[in-house]
Amino acid sequence: IACPCALGLATPTAIMVGTGAAARAGILIKDAHALEAAHKIDAIVLDKTGTLTEGHPKVTDVVSLAGDDDALLALAAAAQSASEHPLARAVLDRAEESGLVPAAVDDFTSVTGKGLTARVEGRALGLGNRVLMADLGVATAALEADASELEAGGRTVMWLAAFEPGPQLLGLIAVADPLKPAATAAVAHLHRLGIKTVMMTGDNQRTAQVVADEVGIDEVVAGVLPEQKAAEVARLQGTGRRVAMVGDGINDAPALAAADIGIAMGTGTDVAMETAGITLMRGDPSLLADAVGVSRATYTKIRQNLFWAFIYNIIGIPLAALGLLSPVIAGAAMAFSSVSVVSNSLLLRRWRKAS
């Protein structure tokens, strides 16, 4: 009368059907651990660029202290011609649209999380955020009013300065990265599932807060350097939260690994997808809630399967021990227990993404 087959089938059949249903919805789940971890999360950390936004920023404003915006844009494009950062691509695209040909660049150095330094036509330039300007000893007061107004509109501001023989602010360039159409609805869906949302970005607090308010994010962690992202995830875990990290870039990989479950956008880098336990193939933030939903549905099926597998044994074995069950009934019960577990798992095929 004992039904070990049903106990052995309870978990793997549910996982197999659940991961198949997720794959049909564009959610690739690496293994059983990832599926199990996803149903427990109660906080999700979202990288801004490429996760909530399109990841294809465009230049909106160029402000030169000398009054020659094209000259400033040409210098910035030259300095960034060796960079692969999305912001650099935005500046180079704008320069090309304006018919500007960037000069040759020497001594290019990327300063992680801050910007870059380079030498253009013998002139030492720094291009980046306020932290880089402070490191180079460049005062930004002359354009702070312009920068604050742009940041209040959700723009990311890049400062351009010369720092040899002495620090001199040249101007600023503002870029905008539009939100993904599904971002606001995706965050609302996560809230309905009882999940706290946190946006983490290297942008300044003012720009980040504008984006967060627009999509309904609960908490903003701004001005974060790439090497600090994993520490921020650990901080959230230290408050007792089960944390998922969502990212798409190489610098997100340590945080993806540190989180209880890492979720990579399929439009991101191979390193991020390799590190994460779940990959969203379409880069669609609405799939985040669906990943949690299919994980919870699968876990529910596992518990149901185990219940039915155990109940047969709990009822059947004592009755058999008392001689109240014939071998015919025992054989039928054993077969039916396995069939019921597999059939219950197959019901997961009816799961459909809610978003």
Side-chain angles (χ1 to χ4, degrees), residues 32-44:
H33 167 73
L35 188 69
E36 180 184 3
H39 93 272
K40 297 177 180 178
I41 68 167
D42 56 9
I44 189 162

Side-chain angles (χ1 to χ4, degrees), residues 267-311:
T267 51
T269 62
D270 291 341
V271 173
M273 288 186 278
E274 180 64 27
T275 306
I278 296 176
T279 299
L280 309 182
M281 292 309 297
R282 295 196 300 276
D284 182 354
S286 66
L287 292 177
L288 291 170
D290 294 323
V292 176
V294 73
S295 174
R296 291 181 179 180
T298 302
Y299 188 70
T300 298
K301 285 298 178 187
I302 291 173
R303 289 192 298 179
Q304 291 172 355
N305 288 347
L306 289 172
F307 169 80
W308 288 112
F310 274 110
I311 205 71

